[in-house]
Amino acid sequence: MARAGRTANPEGRMALTGHLREFKRRFYIAGAALVVAAIGGFFLAAPVLHLLSAPLDELRAQGLDVELNITNVTQAFDVQMRIGFMLGIIISSPIWIWQLLAFVVPALRTVERRYVFGFIGAAVPLFIGGCATGWFILPRIIRLFVGFAPDGFTAFLGAQDYWDFSFKLVFAVGVAYVLPVVVVFLSFAGVLSGKAILAGWRWAVLGATLFGAFVTPAGEVLSMFVIAVPMVVLYFAAAGVALIVDRRRAKRDAALAAAGPTAGATA
């Protein structure tokens, strides 16, 4: 049946209704995976929150009174739901990312497919590395801010606010580390040239420094450099990749121009 269908439709095109059915099917699969993973994440929420609150134990050991608190009747449930949902997104990410790729990739050419998988393959470890960096600096930032509490005072921290702050910090650094992949993608798409990317290095350094200062305020210089330096290195690596892409594109265009209009029409 599949062979006959391919013979009748050699380009493998699908009607709009077929695309909608395929999208709905893959959406349901991704959604079911997210729901199942979120339910599992709900039961992991308490140990995750205890793990995130480890810096508070260090502050107590230093003699500072600090407590993580539930401030209203429904907040304990709300916090576990939030953590469970975010863990569900992370745990189910291989499934929903694959469903997205499986829907898009058949419409791409072989070279474009390699690019897509290459970008995904680069973005995932960079995102994980960025999250790990955010996790590394999180205790420093918490100690810094909570440490401003005067002697004799007790710092009462809302569990929901504490989770939101911790997650946003870790996630923001993870996303920041993926930005060089976006720069390379724009280079492949012909939107940015390698020279243009390299020419903007001063703005990149300034932006990385400001971002590091923003997520690690109050002058925590070491944590700021832990974030900013890898971002700058990744930016220059992206510029180098873009320059290589530009060089290969120029050679290909020169070869096509040398071959003449007949070869271009044939291609």
Side-chain angles (χ1 to χ4, degrees):
M1 182 69 70
R3 184 173 297 178
R6 175 62 68 179
T7 303
N9 185 13
E11 296 183 1
R13 293 184 178 179
M14 184 184 297
L16 177 60
T17 55
H19 282 296
L20 292 176
R21 284 195 299 269
E22 178 71 7
F23 176 79
K24 184 168 68 173
R25 183 178 73 86
R26 298 196 178 278
F27 178 80
Y28 285 156
I29 294 174
L34 173 59
V35 170
V36 172
I39 292 173
F42 179 83
F43 294 101
L44 295 174
V48 169
L49 189 58
H50 281 298
L51 189 62
L52 283 174
S53 62
L56 303 182
D57 296 332
E58 299 179 16
L59 290 173
R60 295 189 193 99
Q62 297 171 8
L64 181 65
D65 290 330
V66 55
E67 298 294 339
L68 197 60
N69 293 276
I70 302 298
T71 58
N72 59 57
V73 175
T74 62
Q75 191 176 81
F77 180 75
D78 291 342
V79 170
Q80 288 208 202
M81 286 290 291
R82 285 170 178 256
I83 298 177
F85 181 71
M86 297 313 304
L87 289 177
I89 292 177
I90 296 171
I91 295 171
S92 65
S93 60
I95 297 176
W96 58 259
I97 289 175
W98 171 250
Q99 294 300 320
L100 176 63
L101 290 177
F103 179 75
V104 174
V105 163
L108 303 177
R109 294 176 297 178
T110 302
V111 175
E112 292 172 335
R113 293 180 187 181
R114 289 202 298 265
Y115 290 159
V116 169
F117 286 112
F119 289 132
I120 295 296
V124 170
L126 285 176
F127 178 73
I128 294 174
C131 289
T133 302
W135 185 275
F136 171 76
I137 66 173
L138 177 63
R140 294 174 175 270
I141 296 175
I142 292 174
R143 286 197 300 267
L144 175 69
F145 282 107
V146 179
F148 281 108
D151 294 337
F153 281 75
T154 299
F156 292 102
L157 307 179
Q160 183 170 311
D161 293 335
Y162 186 86
W163 157 253
D164 288 344
F165 173 82
S166 302
F167 175 77
K168 288 175 183 177
L169 174 67
V170 172
F171 185 77
V173 180
V175 171
Y177 274 38
V178 179
L179 291 180
V181 178
V182 178
V183 172
V184 174
F185 177 81
L186 293 176
S187 173
F188 272 87
V191 177
L192 286 176
S193 67
K195 291 183 178 179
I197 296 172
L198 194 59
W201 70 269
R202 294 179 180 84
W203 291 105
V205 172
L206 178 62
T209 304
L210 290 177
F211 178 80
F214 177 76
V215 298
T216 59
E220 223 288 336
V221 179
L222 178 60
S223 297
M224 182 184 73
F225 275 99
V226 168
I227 294 176
V229 171
M231 288 181 63
V232 172
V233 172
L234 289 171
Y235 181 86
F236 280 106
V241 173
L243 289 172
I244 295 174
V245 171
D246 290 346
R247 186 176 302 174
R248 291 181 177 177
R249 184 183 292 124
K251 288 183 179 179
R252 185 178 65 247
D253 293 344
L256 289 174
T262 304
T266 304

